[in-house]
Amino acid sequence: MKIESILNKSRISAGIGILFFLIILSWYIWGQKEVNPAVMLKPDEMQEDFQFLIDRILARHPDPARNMTKEVWNKRIDEIKNELDSEKSAADFYFILQEFIAEMEDAHTGLVMLDDRKRLPLLLDWTEEGWTVLESGYGVEKGDLIVSLGGMEVEEIVKDLGGFISAENPYWKKFRANFLIRDEYYLKKLSLIKHNHVVVTVENIQGKRRKVRIPLVKKDVADSQMTNAEDSWYSWYKRYNDSNTFGWSLDHENNIGYYYLHACIDTREYRKSVSNFFKEVKRDGIGNIVIDLRQNAGGNSAVIDAFINRIQPSSINNYSNFTGNTFVLISNNTFSSANMFASVIQENNIGILIGEPTGNSPFAFGEVISGVLSNSQINLSLSTKEYILSKTYKDAIYPDYLVQKTRESIISNKDIQLEKVIELIKEK
């Protein structure tokens, strides 16, 4: 496959914007309107909002019933109309609609309520062993394994949450669960809250279990906790940091030029940063580069050009191309345009992918528009294009080397995926 053809096809997702978050909860920034979840909506108000939603989807979405038959699609619409025959809270109305949207299996299309609801201050991620605590506090320790919340086992929680998550594969559902389990509305929906607390059963690294009661806190407190954790986790990346979303460093000992890209934002500053990165790599004779897309949930696919123009042999550009080895780190959070970036690398045999399966299907929708349901003030994000990135995979982009995080790597702050790159370099 020619690199030019896949990049031309990828242009349909340019301008999607940051869809969910960099690392913190930007699922909650899709729109500008705030919802009062306790407001009771009348049947005619909900019917009007629902009809607006259906009309908008049918007018702009390329194939809303792709993952279900038209008969099922029409049946679900009739079922929801019948369900909206009595007053409901805005929160209950949201869950009815989002469950329907999730059945479309389009990770770029979804609904969100914006407000200052409380959060559960529990930072989690998936490791090889299971759902793992990332930061100590409120009675839990980094590396603890989540056994249950509010008496509900992890497997059941993920299954129930998954019914409300717009996703194309199980990896994105699990990744989104890390954040939705912090959300007061979802915790209430799953009946996990008791007296403003959630009882969490954890298992430490020695195998001992204990129960802790974790209170819900204000949104700004939870956001501050996440920001502080982010600064701690990624501070070592930022020796040559140009911004919070991109930056680079050189590891002369391991012959690596490392570039992290946490969001696909194509700016002059970004392109200058990439140019400077390759100049330093060439000057110091670095033979390997690593592009880290593990925290990248997407944006503008034009960011790909800055790298491809320098690592893909071409007679039409004016760059002095890098001729060493290229490695790309990916994760379940590698999504949208970042997923496209990884696919371009893999499909054209430009580099080696290391890490975990991505959170986005290569057969996906994109180029998002937004809207607001006027009566409920629920925000809508809606795909308007369809694209195909890979002939190799259907549900995700898979790494050439699967390397999953472990509880031990979380506790010891080891980047075992980057360590795998170093191991491969030494083997060459």
Side-chain angles (χ1 to χ4, degrees):
M1 180 185 299
K2 291 185 178 180
I3 191 72
E4 289 82 0
S5 64
I6 196 169
L7 286 177
N8 287 335
K9 290 178 182 178
S10 74
R11 287 293 173 264
I12 62 174
S13 72
I16 287 174
I18 306 308
L19 299 167
F20 298 96
F21 44 85
L22 305 180
I23 296 176
I24 62 174
L25 302 175
S26 63
W27 173 273
Y28 303 102
I29 65 171
W30 267 352
Q32 300 299 321
K33 302 291 184 179
E34 291 195 356
V35 179
N36 183 346
V39 166
M40 299 302 293
L41 298 170
K42 297 178 180 179
D44 60 330
E45 293 175 320
M46 293 184 289
Q47 294 285 0
E48 183 180 352
D49 276 3
F50 182 51
Q51 191 60 54
F52 170 83
L53 174 64
I54 295 302
D55 290 344
R56 188 83 165 181
I57 290 173
L58 292 176
R60 301 302 304 271
H61 196 282
D63 191 3
R66 185 178 77 176
N67 294 300
M68 63 179 96
T69 65
K70 289 185 178 180
E71 290 75 18
V72 171
W73 168 268
N74 292 328
K75 181 181 178 182
R76 289 292 289 123
I77 291 175
D78 290 339
E79 289 173 349
I80 292 172
K81 286 181 177 179
N82 291 333
E83 192 173 358
L84 303 178
D85 62 352
S86 60
E87 281 193 343
K88 300 185 188 301
S89 69
D92 288 339
F93 181 51
Y94 160 79
F95 280 110
I96 290 171
L97 298 192
Q98 180 54 38
E99 185 175 31
F100 168 68
I101 292 294
E103 292 172 15
M104 292 171 58
E105 297 182 21
D106 171 7
H108 286 86
T109 294
L111 300 170
V112 65
M113 295 186 293
L114 301 176
D115 65 11
D116 291 326
R117 57 191 178 272
K118 293 180 180 179
R119 307 285 191 262
L120 183 68
L122 189 61
L123 302 183
L124 304 174
D125 199 3
W126 294 94
T127 63
E128 194 172 51
E129 297 90 343
W131 221 359
T132 302
V133 175
L134 293 179
E135 285 292 308
S136 299
Y138 295 93
V140 298
E141 299 293 331
K142 179 190 289 190
D144 281 349
L145 196 66
I146 299 295
V147 178
S148 66
L149 291 95
M152 183 180 288
E153 299 293 321
V154 167
E155 184 177 345
E156 187 178 359
I157 291 173
V158 173
K159 179 181 178 181
D160 287 357
L161 285 178
F164 301 103
I165 297 175
S166 298
E168 296 144 9
N169 65 38
Y171 313 113
W172 186 248
K173 286 190 176 185
K174 291 180 72 173
F175 179 76
R176 289 293 301 136
N178 294 334
F179 298 89
L180 295 186
I181 199 59
R182 294 163 50 86
D183 187 300
E184 181 182 9
Y185 296 160
Y186 279 87
L187 290 167
K188 286 181 177 179
K189 183 67 176 176
L190 271 59
S191 301
L192 302 182
I193 303 174
K194 188 174 183 179
H195 304 304
N196 199 49
H197 286 71
V198 176
V199 176
V200 182
T201 302
V202 296
E203 180 179 294
N204 67 16
I205 199 71
Q206 289 80 31
K208 295 183 178 180
R209 294 188 176 186
R210 66 188 188 280
K211 291 184 178 181
V212 295
R213 294 178 72 247
I214 302 180
L216 272 69
V217 300
K218 292 182 177 180
K219 178 179 180 295
D220 58 349
V221 174
D223 287 351
S224 175
Q225 176 199 27
M226 182 69 85
T227 301
N228 292 336
E230 176 192 349
D231 289 341
S232 172
W233 298 337
Y234 300 105
S235 60
W236 68 276
Y237 288 165
K238 300 181 179 181
R239 284 172 284 177
Y240 291 91
N241 187 22
D242 295 296
S243 78
N244 289 328
T245 59
F246 61 85
W248 57 274
S249 63
L250 301 182
D251 179 355
H252 293 90
E253 179 182 353
N254 291 300
N255 194 24
I256 290 174
Y258 170 87
Y259 198 101
Y260 68 87
L261 183 61
H262 291 341
C264 294
I265 304 175
D266 187 40
T267 62
R268 181 180 299 177
E269 291 75 19
Y270 161 71
R271 289 180 176 263
K272 182 178 179 180
S273 168
V274 174
S275 176
N276 290 337
F277 170 67
F278 278 101
K279 285 179 181 177
E280 296 298 311
V281 165
K282 181 179 179 181
R283 185 197 67 184
D284 291 3
I286 299 294
N288 306 277
I289 64 168
V290 175
I291 307 169
D292 192 344
L293 302 177
R294 289 175 294 181
Q295 300 298 331
N296 195 321
N300 189 338
S301 62
V303 299
I304 302 172
D305 293 345
F307 273 93
I308 294 301
N309 286 339
R310 292 172 172 85
I311 60 180
Q312 171 72 6
S314 174
S315 59
I316 61 174
N317 67 44
N318 297 318
Y319 303 113
S320 177
N321 286 47
F322 174 74
T323 58
N325 302 306
T326 298
F327 300 89
V328 179
L329 302 179
I330 58 174
S331 75
N332 300 161
N333 185 25
T334 303
F335 184 84
S336 193
S337 290
N339 192 57
M340 189 177 295
F341 198 153
S343 179
V344 167
I345 296 293
Q346 188 175 68
E347 288 292 303
N348 291 277
N349 298 313
I350 297 172
I352 296 172
L353 305 189
I354 294 172
E356 302 159 336
T358 63
N360 203 189
S361 168
F363 294 80
F365 301 103
E367 195 160 328
V368 169
I369 60 172
S370 61
V372 179
L373 309 189
S374 61
N375 295 311
S376 61
Q377 294 298 295
I378 294 172
N379 290 260
L380 166 67
S381 177
L382 177 64
S383 296
T384 62
K385 300 286 185 180
E386 185 175 14
Y387 54 93
I388 299 174
L389 301 179
S390 172
K391 295 181 179 179
T392 306
Y393 301 115
K394 289 188 176 181
D395 63 333
I397 300 299
Y398 285 84
D400 299 298
Y401 292 89
L402 176 65
V403 182
Q404 295 178 289
K405 296 179 289 292
T406 65
R407 294 172 70 189
E408 181 58 40
S409 70
I410 297 296
I411 294 171
S412 60
N413 292 318
K414 286 185 177 180
D415 189 337
I416 58 176
Q417 292 157 346
L418 189 56
E419 287 181 353
K420 181 62 177 181
V421 173
I422 296 172
E423 175 188 323
L424 291 173
I425 290 172
K426 290 180 178 179
E427 291 176 354
K428 288 184 177 293

